[in-house]
Amino acid sequence: MVDFMRLAKEEAILAMNKGEIPVGAVIVKDGVVIGKAHNLKETLKDSTAHAEILAIKEASKYIGSWRLNGAEMYVTLEPCSMCASAILQSRISKVYIGTFNKDMGACGSVINLLDNRRLNSFAYIKWVYDEECSELLTRFFENKRKEKL
């Protein structure tokens, strides 16, 4: 069986190597990767170029529809409200999350958009709590602080 969170972590490492916040996302449908991406906000000078958004765009292009019903997303960091909204809009069914986003998390840490019955959509959330996902972020921000000294 393919470890899709490992693939998401590989995407996060690609982001880190580009000086981007290390977040990676992989979208799978019927056991096949249909989209994957990493943060490119700094590279593209685009505030919407989060890993989740880019992966959704790739997956939609791959299947030829914006509706990703039955798809699963594996993401190294809890999605923000923009990304959580895009997940709902795309109809992704399940989201596997590697670590908390204590500042901007929109899947349970700060707010929970994916499990809000007032909205017209719902995505199942599975917390994976992957220590390596947390370590990538910790290492990235420690290095950024050292650069400023």
Side-chain angles (χ1 to χ4, degrees):
M1 183 172 161
V2 178
D3 181 353
F4 297 115
M5 186 58 77
R6 182 185 55 75
L7 295 177
K9 288 185 284 189
E10 289 173 5
E11 287 292 321
I13 291 166
L14 290 173
M16 187 166 60
N17 291 340
K18 294 176 182 176
E20 300 276 355
I21 294 174
V23 178
V26 173
I27 300 175
V28 178
K29 185 165 183 171
D30 300 324
V32 176
V33 173
I34 61 172
K36 63 181 180 173
H38 53 274
N39 273 356
L40 288 173
K41 206 165 119 173
E42 299 297 331
T43 302
L44 298 177
K45 309 290 187 247
D46 180 352
S47 62
T48 67
H50 290 203
E52 301 93 327
I53 301 288
L54 298 172
I56 288 169
K57 287 180 178 184
E58 186 175 292
S60 294
K61 187 174 182 179
Y62 182 90
I63 67 167
S65 175
W66 62 268
R67 289 181 182 90
L68 301 177
N69 301 75
E72 301 174 343
M73 177 181 280
Y74 294 78
V75 61
T76 58
L77 178 65
E78 179 183 6
C80 67
S81 58
M82 174 182 70
C83 293
S85 295
I87 289 165
L88 290 177
Q89 289 293 322
S90 68
R91 308 297 192 262
I92 288 173
S93 300
K94 294 180 183 175
V95 180
Y96 297 87
I97 303 169
T99 194
F100 293 105
N101 183 342
K102 66 179 179 61
D103 298 319
M104 306 270 300
C107 302
S109 291
V110 178
I111 59 173
N112 193 341
L113 294 179
L114 297 187
D115 189 12
N116 185 328
R117 301 303 171 160
R118 291 179 153 181
L119 301 175
N120 193 27
S121 199
F122 168 82
Y124 172 80
I125 301 167
K126 173 69 176 166
W127 291 92
V128 178
Y129 303 116
D130 187 298
E131 196 171 317
E132 191 176 355
C133 293
S134 297
E135 288 172 3
L136 283 169
L137 289 157
T138 300
R139 193 171 1 142
F140 175 80
F141 286 110
E142 283 174 352
N143 289 337
K144 283 290 183 191
R145 283 190 288 276
K146 287 177 185 174
E147 288 173 12
K148 289 182 180 181
L149 295 178

